[in-house]
Amino acid sequence: MHFNQTNHHKRNVLVVDDTPDNLRLLSAMLTAQGFEVRKALNGKMALTACKMVLPDVILLDINMPGMDGYEVCQQLKADDKTCEIPVIFISALDDVVDKVKAFDVGGVDYIAKPFHGAEVVLRIENQINLRLLQVKLEEKNFLLQQALDNLQASQVQQIQNEKMVALGQLVAGLAHEINNPISFIYGNLQYAGQYVQDLVNMIEVYQQEYPKPTPKIQEIAQDIDLNFMIEDLQNLISAMYRGSDRIREIVLALQHFSRHDEAQMKRVNIHEDIENTLVMLQHRLREAADRPAIVVVKDYGNLPLVTCYASELNQVFMHLLNNAIDAIEERVGKVGSPLEIRSNGEWGVENQFSTPHSLLPTPQIQIHTEVINLDMVKIAIADNGLGIEESLRSRLFDPFFTTKPVGKGSGLGLSISYQIVVQKHRGNITCTSSVGKGAEFAIEIPIEQPDISSQFSKS
């Protein structure tokens, strides 16, 4: 945004004409009216003069040797630094075609020779005033856009805060309520298993001591298939152990994920938080009717404990992993069904839009972590889904912007993630993508947050 006119500076006019007499006349006339005038005898000199000091207005002759006024104006409008400077054409040509061409190349006004001094001054002042109003309008628009961005950011932050409080309370409550009965079940399974084994042993002793049971006992044993029941009973007990242990893992993951009972900021093991988030998403990673299971490839580096808002960082992991799964499932939906698993581990689908049995890579999410620059940790989550077009990537972190179909996304996940990583943790979040090959989101956060690092160093 450029404008030279202030209370302390004269209005700067560049006069471009190959006739020295015209230059002298215009210069004297404009200087007498309080303008600061610079002169150029040809187009190249004019372009050089604009690079040195941007004028407020340019008076530009059309007929000049080498480079005419039209070419000069086109070059001015093609340069971001000079494109907003008002150009007033001055020419002895008074044909309508010449005037139209002057406006087509970006001129704002046209004065035919011979000109009147008062007219030239008035037209220059009009353009300067118009430009001043335009600059003020641009400033107001900028402030309005800034206010809108701040409002959207505050709305997202408020939504996030309310969501985190509600989610934390809900998860903590559920975890507590589930934990009590499952602990009772898990703790008593050991005794139940032992009691069952004792009863089985007792039956086996009876069979040894009384090899010829009564007809009624034989009938009941046959009806319940006693031998199969004894054999399968151990499998049932083992399955119950595994099931209850799985529930205990999920409850633990819920507690870690919400971190409702912990300080907001603390040192945490990032890998444990990622693992807990993956536990929460197991139901989405499993094999589905239209695709095989999503493979999660972990490439974990040697990370120190990281000082962070753990529950909020878990939200970022959840958003990014959910988005990766969505991208993979969207790729399946774009190609079609039914699914065909190949012997080489690849999977293919067939529909009217694709080559029969076209192969797709195995659905995969890669998680990579490492220490960078000695004081930052990097967490990269990559998928082999559809990828994101370059034109959309600049808007990914805008509030309420989503690439998902209507009803599938709120447009808040990545915006919330951006606020958590960039604003709360003083980090960075970036996206790289190739259409058709997938996308990678990379998070970088400091190992120690500056405002509390001294607190930990003293403890």
Side-chain angles (χ1 to χ4, degrees):
M1 193 180 298
H2 155 73
F3 199 74
N4 281 334
Q5 185 180 8
T6 68
N7 294 332
H8 305 289
H9 291 85
K10 293 182 179 180
R11 295 160 295 179
N12 189 314
V13 179
L14 175 64
V15 181
V16 187
D17 197 316
D18 63 324
T19 306
D21 289 340
N22 288 342
L23 281 180
R24 281 192 293 270
L25 175 62
L26 286 168
S27 177
M29 179 181 64
L30 294 175
T31 300
Q33 294 295 323
F35 294 99
E36 181 179 327
V37 181
R38 291 185 298 147
K39 295 170 280 189
L41 282 166
N42 55 54
K44 288 185 178 180
M45 290 176 63
L47 295 174
T48 302
C50 287
K51 290 179 181 178
M52 295 173 62
V53 177
L54 290 177
D56 292 319
V57 177
I58 299 175
L59 291 181
L60 181 59
D61 188 24
I62 294 177
N63 288 326
M64 294 185 295
M67 182 186 300
D68 64 21
Y70 299 133
E71 293 179 69
V72 174
C73 188
Q74 285 174 327
Q75 291 199 29
L76 290 169
K77 298 303 174 183
D79 190 331
D80 290 339
K81 293 181 180 179
T82 58
C83 64
E84 295 180 349
I85 302 172
V87 176
I88 300 175
F89 282 101
I90 294 181
S91 176
L93 304 172
D94 197 20
D95 192 274
V96 173
V97 175
D98 298 307
K99 292 181 178 180
V100 170
K101 186 174 181 180
F103 289 114
D104 283 344
V105 296
V108 296
D109 205 348
Y110 187 100
I111 301 174
K113 295 178 182 177
F115 48 77
H116 300 285
E119 178 187 3
V120 174
V121 170
L122 183 61
R123 288 177 183 265
I124 290 174
E125 288 182 342
N126 283 341
Q127 291 305 322
I128 287 177
N129 290 332
L130 283 173
R131 181 68 190 126
L132 182 60
L133 290 173
Q134 183 182 356
V135 169
K136 288 181 178 179
L137 182 61
E138 288 173 359
E139 289 175 350
K140 287 183 179 179
N141 287 341
F142 176 77
L143 292 174
L144 285 172
Q145 186 61 49
Q146 203 172 38
L148 178 61
D149 291 344
N150 291 338
L151 177 61
Q152 287 184 330
S154 64
Q155 285 178 331
V156 171
Q157 187 61 48
Q158 184 178 3
I159 292 170
Q160 168 66 3
N161 291 341
E162 293 174 356
K163 180 179 177 181
M164 286 301 299
V165 170
L167 179 66
Q169 292 173 343
L170 175 64
V171 168
L174 280 173
H176 177 73
E177 290 301 320
I178 295 172
N179 196 46
N180 286 337
I182 199 59
S183 296
F184 174 81
I185 293 170
Y186 187 81
N188 285 295
L189 267 177
Q190 179 181 357
Y191 300 109
Q194 186 60 52
Y195 295 158
V196 168
Q197 186 60 50
D198 290 342
L199 290 173
V200 169
N201 293 339
M202 189 69 177
I203 292 172
E204 289 175 349
V205 170
Y206 266 102
Q207 288 175 331
Q208 292 169 7
E209 294 293 326
Y210 297 97
K212 293 182 179 180
T214 64
K216 187 174 182 178
I217 293 175
Q218 286 181 346
E219 182 183 352
I220 294 173
Q222 187 175 356
D223 287 344
I224 65 174
D225 197 351
L226 183 61
N227 291 333
F228 171 78
M229 186 179 70
I230 290 173
E231 182 181 342
D232 195 49
L233 201 51
Q234 299 303 317
N235 295 333
L236 288 177
I237 296 294
S238 297
M240 292 167 69
Y241 262 119
R242 291 194 300 271
S244 58
D245 194 50
R246 171 67 178 156
I247 296 173
R248 289 174 70 246
E249 285 181 4
I250 293 173
V251 169
L252 191 61
L254 282 168
Q255 291 172 331
H256 280 298
F257 182 80
S258 66
R259 295 187 180 271
H260 184 63
D261 57 345
E262 297 179 4
Q264 269 201 310
M265 183 173 277
K266 63 176 294 181
R267 282 197 175 107
V268 299
N269 184 323
I270 291 293
H271 295 153
E272 284 184 2
D273 283 352
I274 294 173
E275 291 296 325
N276 287 325
T277 308
L278 288 172
V279 169
M280 305 278 288
L281 291 171
Q282 279 302 311
H283 66 288
R284 297 202 65 195
L285 297 170
R286 295 192 190 100
E287 181 178 345
D290 58 349
R291 62 160 175 80
I294 298 174
V295 178
V296 178
V297 179
K298 303 167 190 172
D299 177 24
Y300 290 164
N302 185 19
L303 300 188
L305 295 180
V306 177
T307 303
C308 64
Y309 294 93
S311 63
E312 298 193 20
L313 205 57
N314 283 342
Q315 284 291 309
V316 176
F317 298 149
M318 178 67 81
H319 286 312
L320 297 185
L321 287 167
N322 259 322
N323 284 348
I325 295 170
D326 288 342
I328 289 171
E329 291 184 341
E330 189 178 358
R331 183 171 190 171
V332 178
K334 290 283 186 183
V335 179
S337 60
L339 175 71
E340 182 177 287
I341 306 293
R342 300 303 181 87
S343 59
N344 61 0
E346 293 181 308
W347 54 295
V349 288
E350 175 182 5
N351 71 351
Q352 60 179 323
F353 304 110
S354 61
T355 305
H357 306 298
S358 58
L359 293 179
L360 289 175
T362 301
Q364 186 178 99
I365 294 174
Q366 294 181 328
I367 305 175
H368 170 79
T369 65
E370 64 175 318
V371 175
I372 58 174
N373 301 329
L374 299 178
D375 61 347
M376 302 278 284
V377 294
K378 177 180 179 181
I379 304 106
I381 297 174
D383 64 72
N384 59 350
L386 277 177
I388 303 167
E389 294 180 13
E390 185 177 358
S391 60
L392 301 177
R393 289 204 288 274
S394 63
R395 301 180 59 196
L396 284 178
F397 302 107
D398 291 352
F400 310 109
F401 175 78
T402 179
T403 61
K404 297 176 184 177
V406 175
K408 295 291 185 181
S410 64
L412 291 175
L414 288 178
S415 177
I416 288 170
S417 298
Y418 182 89
Q419 288 195 7
I420 291 171
V421 172
V422 177
Q423 296 178 9
K424 297 207 75 168
H425 289 89
R426 300 176 178 85
N428 299 303
I429 181 169
T430 56
C431 172
T432 55
S433 179
S434 297
V435 176
K437 294 184 179 180
E440 178 183 279
F441 284 86
I443 305 165
E444 296 175 4
I445 59 172
I447 294 172
E448 293 285 353
Q449 293 295 317
D451 54 341
I452 67 162
S453 57
S454 57
Q455 170 189 340
F456 284 109
S457 62
K458 293 176 184 176
S459 59

Coordinates of all heavy atoms in Angstrom, one line a residue, residues 64-115:
M64 N 6.4 8.3 -27.9 CA 7.8 8.5 -27.6 C 8.7 7.4 -28.3 O 8.2 6.3 -28.6 CB 8.0 8.3 -26.0 CG 7.4 9.3 -25.2 SD 7.8 9.1 -23.4 CE 7.0 7.6 -23.1
P65 N 9.9 7.7 -28.7 CA 10.7 6.8 -29.4 C 11.2 5.6 -28.5 O 11.3 5.7 -27.3 CB 12.0 7.6 -29.8 CG 12.0 8.7 -28.8 CD 10.6 9.0 -28.4
G66 N 11.4 4.4 -29.1 CA 11.8 3.3 -28.4 C 10.7 2.5 -27.7 O 10.3 1.4 -28.0
M67 N 10.2 3.2 -26.7 CA 9.1 2.6 -25.9 C 8.0 3.6 -25.7 O 8.2 4.7 -25.1 CB 9.6 2.2 -24.5 CG 8.6 1.5 -23.6 SD 9.2 1.2 -21.9 CE 10.6 0.1 -22.2
D68 N 6.8 3.3 -26.3 CA 5.8 4.3 -26.2 C 5.1 4.3 -24.9 O 5.4 3.4 -24.0 CB 4.7 4.2 -27.4 CG 4.0 2.9 -27.3 OD1 3.9 2.2 -26.2 OD2 3.5 2.4 -28.4
G69 N 4.1 5.2 -24.7 CA 3.5 5.4 -23.4 C 2.7 4.1 -23.0 O 2.6 3.8 -21.8
Y70 N 2.1 3.5 -24.0 CA 1.3 2.3 -23.7 C 2.2 1.2 -23.1 O 1.8 0.5 -22.1 CB 0.7 1.7 -25.0 CG -0.3 2.7 -25.7 CD1 -0.3 2.9 -27.0 CD2 -1.3 3.3 -24.9 CE1 -1.1 3.8 -27.6 CE2 -2.2 4.2 -25.5 CZ -2.1 4.4 -26.9 OH -3.0 5.3 -27.5
E71 N 3.4 0.9 -23.7 CA 4.3 -0.1 -23.1 C 4.7 0.3 -21.7 O 4.8 -0.6 -20.9 CB 5.5 -0.2 -24.1 CG 5.2 -0.8 -25.4 CD 6.4 -0.9 -26.3 OE1 7.3 -1.7 -26.0 OE2 6.5 -0.1 -27.3
V72 N 5.0 1.6 -21.5 CA 5.5 2.0 -20.2 C 4.4 1.7 -19.2 O 4.6 1.1 -18.1 CB 5.8 3.5 -20.2 CG1 6.1 4.0 -18.7 CG2 7.0 3.8 -21.1
C73 N 3.1 2.0 -19.5 CA 2.0 1.8 -18.6 C 1.8 0.3 -18.3 O 1.6 -0.1 -17.2 CB 0.8 2.4 -19.2 SG -0.6 2.4 -18.0
Q74 N 1.9 -0.5 -19.4 CA 1.8 -2.0 -19.2 C 2.8 -2.5 -18.2 O 2.5 -3.4 -17.4 CB 1.9 -2.7 -20.5 CG 0.6 -2.5 -21.4 CD 0.7 -3.0 -22.8 OE1 1.8 -3.0 -23.4 NE2 -0.3 -3.5 -23.3
Q75 N 4.1 -2.0 -18.4 CA 5.1 -2.5 -17.5 C 4.9 -2.0 -16.0 O 5.2 -2.8 -15.1 CB 6.5 -2.1 -18.0 CG 6.9 -2.8 -19.2 CD 8.4 -2.7 -19.5 OE1 9.2 -2.6 -18.5 NE2 8.8 -2.7 -20.7
L76 N 4.4 -0.8 -15.9 CA 4.1 -0.3 -14.6 C 3.0 -1.1 -13.9 O 3.1 -1.5 -12.7 CB 3.7 1.2 -14.6 CG 4.7 2.2 -15.0 CD1 4.1 3.5 -15.3 CD2 5.8 2.3 -13.8
K77 N 2.0 -1.5 -14.6 CA 0.8 -2.2 -14.1 C 1.2 -3.7 -13.8 O 0.5 -4.4 -13.0 CB -0.4 -2.2 -15.0 CG -0.9 -0.7 -15.2 CD -1.3 -0.1 -13.9 CE -1.7 1.4 -14.0 NZ -2.0 2.0 -12.7
A78 N 2.2 -4.2 -14.5 CA 2.7 -5.6 -14.3 C 3.5 -5.8 -13.1 O 3.8 -6.9 -12.7 CB 3.4 -6.1 -15.6
D79 N 4.0 -4.7 -12.5 CA 4.9 -4.7 -11.4 C 4.1 -4.4 -10.1 O 3.4 -3.4 -10.0 CB 6.0 -3.7 -11.5 CG 7.1 -3.9 -10.5 OD1 6.8 -4.3 -9.3 OD2 8.3 -3.5 -10.7
D80 N 4.2 -5.3 -9.1 CA 3.4 -5.2 -7.9 C 3.7 -3.8 -7.2 O 2.9 -3.3 -6.5 CB 3.6 -6.3 -6.9 CG 3.0 -7.6 -7.4 OD1 2.1 -7.5 -8.3 OD2 3.5 -8.7 -7.0
K81 N 4.9 -3.4 -7.3 CA 5.4 -2.1 -6.6 C 4.8 -0.9 -7.2 O 4.6 0.1 -6.5 CB 6.9 -2.0 -6.6 CG 7.5 -3.1 -5.7 CD 9.1 -3.0 -5.7 CE 9.7 -4.1 -4.9 NZ 11.2 -4.0 -4.9
T82 N 4.5 -0.9 -8.5 CA 4.1 0.3 -9.2 C 2.7 0.2 -9.8 O 2.2 1.2 -10.4 CB 5.1 0.6 -10.4 OG1 5.1 -0.5 -11.3 CG2 6.5 0.9 -9.9
C83 N 2.0 -0.9 -9.6 CA 0.7 -1.1 -10.3 C -0.4 -0.2 -9.8 O -1.4 0.0 -10.5 CB 0.3 -2.6 -10.2 SG 0.0 -3.1 -8.5
E84 N -0.2 0.3 -8.6 CA -1.3 1.2 -8.0 C -1.1 2.6 -8.3 O -2.0 3.5 -7.9 CB -1.4 0.9 -6.5 CG -1.9 -0.5 -6.2 CD -2.0 -0.7 -4.7 OE1 -1.5 0.2 -3.9 OE2 -2.5 -1.7 -4.2
I85 N 0.0 3.0 -8.9 CA 0.2 4.4 -9.2 C -0.7 4.9 -10.3 O -0.7 4.3 -11.4 CB 1.7 4.7 -9.7 CG1 2.7 4.2 -8.6 CG2 1.9 6.2 -10.0 CD1 4.1 4.2 -9.0
P86 N -1.5 6.0 -10.1 CA -2.4 6.5 -11.2 C -1.6 7.0 -12.3 O -0.6 7.8 -12.1 CB -3.2 7.6 -10.5 CG -3.0 7.4 -9.0 CD -1.6 6.7 -8.9
V87 N -1.9 6.6 -13.6 CA -1.3 7.1 -14.8 C -2.2 7.9 -15.6 O -3.3 7.5 -16.0 CB -0.7 5.9 -15.6 CG1 -0.1 6.4 -16.9 CG2 0.3 5.1 -14.8
I88 N -1.9 9.2 -15.8 CA -2.7 10.1 -16.7 C -1.9 10.3 -18.0 O -0.8 10.7 -18.0 CB -2.9 11.5 -16.0 CG1 -3.6 11.3 -14.7 CG2 -3.7 12.4 -16.9 CD1 -3.7 12.6 -13.9
F89 N -2.6 9.9 -19.1 CA -1.9 10.0 -20.4 C -2.1 11.4 -21.0 O -3.2 12.0 -20.8 CB -2.5 9.0 -21.4 CG -2.0 7.6 -21.2 CD1 -2.8 6.6 -20.6 CD2 -0.8 7.2 -21.7 CE1 -2.3 5.4 -20.4 CE2 -0.3 5.9 -21.6 CZ -1.1 5.0 -20.9
I90 N -1.0 11.9 -21.6 CA -1.1 13.2 -22.3 C -0.6 13.0 -23.7 O 0.5 12.4 -24.0 CB -0.1 14.2 -21.6 CG1 -0.7 14.6 -20.2 CG2 -0.1 15.5 -22.5 CD1 0.2 15.6 -19.5
S91 N -1.5 13.4 -24.7 CA -1.1 13.1 -26.1 C -1.8 14.1 -27.0 O -2.9 14.6 -26.7 CB -1.5 11.7 -26.5 OG -1.2 11.4 -27.8
A92 N -1.1 14.3 -28.2 CA -1.7 15.2 -29.2 C -2.8 14.4 -29.9 O -3.6 14.9 -30.6 CB -0.6 15.6 -30.2
L93 N -2.7 13.0 -29.8 CA -3.7 12.1 -30.4 C -5.0 12.3 -29.6 O -5.1 12.0 -28.4 CB -3.3 10.7 -30.4 CG -1.9 10.4 -31.1 CD1 -1.5 9.0 -30.8 CD2 -2.0 10.7 -32.6
D94 N -6.1 12.6 -30.3 CA -7.4 12.8 -29.7 C -8.4 11.9 -30.2 O -9.6 12.1 -30.1 CB -7.8 14.3 -29.8 CG -8.9 14.6 -28.8 OD1 -9.0 13.9 -27.8 OD2 -9.7 15.6 -29.0
D95 N -8.0 10.8 -30.8 CA -8.9 9.8 -31.4 C -9.5 8.9 -30.3 O -8.8 8.6 -29.3 CB -8.2 9.0 -32.5 CG -9.2 8.2 -33.3 OD1 -9.5 7.1 -32.8 OD2 -9.6 8.6 -34.4
V96 N -10.7 8.5 -30.5 CA -11.4 7.7 -29.5 C -10.7 6.4 -29.3 O -10.5 5.9 -28.2 CB -12.9 7.4 -30.0 CG1 -13.5 6.4 -29.0 CG2 -13.7 8.7 -30.0
V97 N -10.1 5.8 -30.4 CA -9.4 4.5 -30.3 C -8.2 4.7 -29.4 O -7.9 3.8 -28.6 CB -8.9 4.1 -31.7 CG1 -8.1 2.8 -31.7 CG2 -10.2 3.8 -32.6
D98 N -7.5 5.8 -29.5 CA -6.3 6.0 -28.7 C -6.7 6.1 -27.2 O -6.0 5.6 -26.3 CB -5.6 7.3 -29.1 CG -5.1 7.2 -30.5 OD1 -4.3 6.3 -30.8 OD2 -5.4 8.1 -31.3
K99 N -7.8 6.8 -27.0 CA -8.3 7.0 -25.6 C -8.7 5.6 -25.0 O -8.4 5.3 -23.9 CB -9.5 7.9 -25.5 CG -9.1 9.4 -25.8 CD -10.3 10.2 -25.7 CE -10.0 11.7 -26.0 NZ -11.1 12.6 -25.9
V100 N -9.4 4.8 -25.8 CA -9.8 3.5 -25.4 C -8.6 2.6 -25.0 O -8.5 1.9 -24.0 CB -10.7 2.8 -26.4 CG1 -10.9 1.3 -26.1 CG2 -12.0 3.5 -26.6
K101 N -7.6 2.7 -25.9 CA -6.4 1.9 -25.7 C -5.7 2.3 -24.4 O -5.1 1.5 -23.6 CB -5.4 2.0 -26.9 CG -4.2 1.0 -26.7 CD -3.4 1.0 -28.0 CE -2.2 0.1 -27.8 NZ -1.3 0.0 -29.0
A102 N -5.7 3.7 -24.2 CA -5.0 4.2 -23.0 C -5.7 3.7 -21.7 O -5.0 3.3 -20.7 CB -5.1 5.7 -23.0
F103 N -7.0 3.6 -21.7 CA -7.7 3.0 -20.5 C -7.5 1.5 -20.4 O -7.5 1.0 -19.4 CB -9.2 3.4 -20.6 CG -9.4 4.9 -20.3 CD1 -10.0 5.7 -21.3 CD2 -9.2 5.4 -19.1 CE1 -10.2 7.1 -21.1 CE2 -9.4 6.8 -18.8 CZ -9.9 7.6 -19.8
D104 N -7.4 0.8 -21.6 CA -7.3 -0.6 -21.6 C -6.0 -1.0 -20.9 O -5.9 -2.1 -20.3 CB -7.3 -1.2 -23.0 CG -8.7 -1.2 -23.6 OD1 -9.7 -1.2 -22.7 OD2 -8.9 -1.4 -24.8
V105 N -4.9 -0.3 -21.2 CA -3.6 -0.6 -20.6 C -3.4 -0.2 -19.1 O -2.4 -0.5 -18.5 CB -2.4 -0.1 -21.4 CG1 -2.4 -0.6 -22.8 CG2 -2.5 1.5 -21.5
G106 N -4.4 0.5 -18.6 CA -4.4 0.8 -17.2 C -4.4 2.3 -16.8 O -4.3 2.6 -15.6
G107 N -4.5 3.2 -17.8 CA -4.6 4.6 -17.5 C -5.9 5.0 -16.8 O -6.9 4.3 -16.9
V108 N -5.8 6.0 -16.0 CA -7.0 6.4 -15.2 C -7.6 7.7 -15.8 O -8.7 8.1 -15.5 CB -6.6 6.7 -13.7 CG1 -6.2 5.4 -13.1 CG2 -5.5 7.8 -13.6
D109 N -6.8 8.4 -16.7 CA -7.3 9.7 -17.3 C -6.5 9.9 -18.5 O -5.5 9.3 -18.8 CB -7.2 10.8 -16.3 CG -8.2 11.9 -16.5 OD1 -8.8 11.9 -17.6 OD2 -8.3 12.8 -15.7
Y110 N -7.1 10.8 -19.4 CA -6.5 11.1 -20.7 C -6.7 12.6 -20.9 O -7.8 13.2 -20.9 CB -7.2 10.3 -21.8 CG -6.6 10.4 -23.1 CD1 -5.8 9.4 -23.6 CD2 -6.8 11.5 -24.0 CE1 -5.2 9.4 -24.9 CE2 -6.3 11.5 -25.2 CZ -5.4 10.5 -25.7 OH -4.9 10.5 -26.9
I111 N -5.5 13.3 -21.2 CA -5.6 14.8 -21.5 C -5.0 15.0 -22.9 O -3.9 14.5 -23.2 CB -4.7 15.6 -20.5 CG1 -5.3 15.3 -19.0 CG2 -4.8 17.1 -20.8 CD1 -4.4 16.0 -18.0
A112 N -5.8 15.6 -23.7 CA -5.3 15.9 -25.1 C -4.6 17.2 -25.2 O -4.9 18.2 -24.5 CB -6.5 15.9 -26.1
K113 N -3.5 17.2 -26.0 CA -2.8 18.4 -26.3 C -3.5 19.2 -27.3 O -4.1 18.6 -28.3 CB -1.3 18.1 -26.7 CG -0.5 17.4 -25.7 CD 0.9 17.1 -26.3 CE 1.8 16.4 -25.3 NZ 3.1 16.0 -25.8
P114 N -3.4 20.5 -27.3 CA -2.8 21.4 -26.3 C -3.7 21.4 -25.0 O -4.9 21.3 -25.1 CB -2.7 22.8 -26.9 CG -3.8 22.8 -27.9 CD -4.0 21.4 -28.4
F115 N -3.0 21.4 -23.9 CA -3.7 21.3 -22.6 C -3.7 22.7 -21.9 O -2.9 23.5 -22.2 CB -3.1 20.3 -21.7 CG -1.6 20.4 -21.6 CD1 -1.0 21.4 -20.8 CD2 -0.8 19.5 -22.3 CE1 0.3 21.5 -20.7 CE2 0.6 19.6 -22.2 CZ 1.2 20.6 -21.4

